Amino acid sequence: MRVVNVEDAVIGQIISEPVISPSGVLICNPGTPISRTLKRFFTNFGIHKVQIKAVIGDQFDEECLNFSSLTNMTYMSLKRLDTTDISKCANIMVDNLAKSEECLMLNMLFNYDDVTYNHSLNVASLALTCGIKLGLTVRELYLLSYGCLVHDIGKSRISLDILNKNGKLTDEEFSIIKTHPQLGYNILDELDQEVPTAVKQIVLQHHENHDGTGYPNQLKDYHIYKLARLTHIADCYEALCAKRPYKDALPRLTVREFMTNGTGSKFDPIMLRKFLDVIPLYLVGEEIEYNGVTGVIIDTADGKNPLVSVGKDIIRLSDFQTELYTRNKIYEECRERLVV
């Protein structure tokens, strides 16, 4: 625990003590991750110093790693395809998520811009959170984390003009997108460093659907590797919840309903039920936006109607949501880009 200047606070660091404005207004509770919006709120309220704690405090290679350094380490490891360092990142994520009852890493992952490596961190965190509740072994959790971190590595061989296209994909572009699992498998298989077979299967199979309609090999139900089935669920959930160049972030309740409708067709029904049971609807510190107004979730005691800090006001989410997407538009967007 230490005191830092607000301007020096790192996005993702965790508030360790309640932050109270000079007029006595509660800005955020302990355990809230610092986000860009939260830093602006502090400044607006005249708060210049806050107490923070490291999310990851364990020693690794005689160096204390916080979330920012883990993010950087993962990013550089993926850029270099350094399987040794990727393996270390996987072990760190498993160790810290397994020890954290409140899943603090999960609480802040959605504060980051959606580029591929942050998407991969999000997917790994979501899948691990579910995997722990499913009772997976430590070895399985390690393989799951490793596989999630590299599950989209094949996209490195696909043009960004296609990956981030702002609009509907052509049939040809969609066919190119669908090559990324096989491309990823090939990349890992061609490395001089040995990659566990389970990890390569996660990469290859993370878009296979439970009813055999997925790709690249149209595998069905339990012919799909168990950890790939869980990665598929986490991958789709994160992609739909995240803001992308071609779509806005979709409300979690709508995403959950959409995925539930895919039970037994796209997703393993047992794993999906467990996943939706353990992944919270809202996360403390998460930024949300409606009608061009941004707020920050500050209290999730009421899981379906949390408290939101908006400017100098603290209100219930139900009061903040003055306008929602139309159901047809949401489902159209879900169907259009689910596989990406």
Side-chain angles (χ1 to χ4, degrees):
M1 183 186 305
R2 59 193 177 93
V3 177
V4 299
N5 293 323
V6 168
E7 61 184 20
D8 297 328
V10 176
I11 302 299
Q13 288 181 320
I14 301 298
I15 299 294
S16 60
E17 297 293 334
V19 178
I20 310 293
S21 75
S23 61
V25 175
L26 174 67
I27 306 302
C28 65
N29 289 314
T32 302
I34 293 176
S35 63
R36 294 176 183 84
T37 299
L38 196 56
K39 290 179 71 170
R40 290 197 296 271
F41 283 171
F42 290 155
T43 301
N44 292 341
F45 276 99
I47 296 168
H48 304 294
K49 294 182 181 294
V50 292
Q51 293 191 58
I52 60 97
K53 62 180 178 180
V55 177
I56 298 175
D58 294 333
Q59 297 293 320
F60 187 81
D61 287 344
E62 300 181 350
E63 179 182 354
C64 185
L65 291 170
N66 59 25
F67 181 76
S68 296
S69 60
L70 175 60
T71 300
N72 292 334
M73 180 179 176
T74 306
Y75 172 70
M76 294 307 298
S77 301
L78 291 174
K79 289 282 282 187
R80 297 191 307 266
L81 260 183
D82 186 327
T83 57
T84 299
D85 280 350
I86 292 172
S87 178
K88 290 178 182 178
C89 292
N91 275 318
I92 294 169
M93 292 193 71
V94 172
D95 191 44
N96 284 279
L97 267 177
K99 289 180 179 178
S100 175
E101 293 182 1
E102 297 176 348
C103 296
L104 294 178
M105 284 182 63
L106 177 63
N107 279 358
M108 66 181 169
L109 284 172
F110 284 87
N111 283 324
Y112 287 82
D113 294 334
D114 183 48
V115 294
T116 297
Y117 80 95
N118 280 321
H119 165 69
S120 299
L121 278 173
N122 291 348
V123 171
S125 181
L126 290 165
L128 281 173
T129 300
C130 182
I132 291 168
K133 297 297 183 180
L134 284 169
L136 299 183
T137 67
V138 173
R139 175 64 179 173
E140 287 176 319
L141 292 172
Y142 161 74
L143 294 170
L144 177 65
S145 178
Y146 193 158
C148 287
L149 289 175
V150 296
H151 77 283
D152 272 345
I153 200 70
K155 290 183 177 179
S156 64
R157 293 187 178 174
I158 296 177
S159 168
L160 287 176
D161 291 338
I162 296 177
L163 290 178
N164 295 329
K165 181 179 178 180
N166 188 6
K168 186 175 181 178
L169 295 172
T170 66
D171 290 343
E172 181 181 0
E173 290 168 337
F174 185 66
S175 296
I176 293 172
I177 285 282
K178 290 170 68 174
T179 65
H180 79 271
Q182 186 66 60
L183 288 173
Y185 179 91
N186 294 344
I187 289 171
L188 298 180
D189 199 44
E190 293 164 3
L191 290 176
D192 291 335
Q193 304 129 310
E194 185 174 351
V195 178
T197 300
V199 171
K200 290 188 284 189
Q201 290 305 312
I202 290 173
V203 172
L204 181 63
Q205 298 179 18
H206 75 276
H207 278 297
E208 300 286 359
N209 290 333
H210 197 67
D211 62 359
T213 60
Y215 63 90
N217 295 314
Q218 293 76 53
L219 300 179
K220 189 175 182 180
D221 50 62
Y222 300 106
H223 294 288
I224 306 169
Y225 178 45
K226 176 173 68 173
L227 300 184
R229 281 181 263 142
L230 181 51
T231 301
H232 180 34
I233 292 170
D235 182 33
C236 289
Y237 181 87
E238 201 283 335
L240 293 173
C241 288
K243 185 174 182 178
R244 295 286 178 87
Y246 47 80
K247 76 169 187 68
D248 291 329
L250 302 178
R252 293 240 180 89
L253 282 170
T254 301
V255 172
R256 293 167 75 93
E257 181 179 347
F258 175 80
M259 294 186 70
T260 299
N261 290 338
T263 298
S265 56
K266 290 186 179 297
F267 310 113
D268 178 322
I270 296 175
M271 283 191 174
L272 179 62
R273 189 182 314 116
K274 177 60 68 173
F275 181 88
L276 295 179
D277 282 346
V278 303
I279 300 301
L281 273 173
Y282 301 100
L283 307 173
V284 172
E286 179 183 359
E287 296 182 13
I288 57 175
E289 181 178 334
Y290 289 96
N291 285 338
V293 178
T294 300
V296 177
I297 302 291
I298 62 171
D299 190 316
T300 57
D302 184 338
K304 293 186 177 180
N305 197 20
L307 288 174
V308 182
S309 177
V310 185
K312 295 186 178 181
D313 297 322
I314 296 176
I315 58 177
R316 286 289 176 186
L317 179 64
S318 57
D319 297 324
F320 183 47
Q321 295 173 324
T322 56
E323 181 177 323
L324 295 174
Y325 298 93
T326 63
R327 185 174 301 274
N328 289 339
K329 180 181 178 183
I330 292 172
Y331 281 1
E332 180 180 350
E333 290 179 345
C334 288
R335 286 193 296 268
E336 172 64 23
R337 300 307 284 266
L338 179 62
V339 299
V340 177

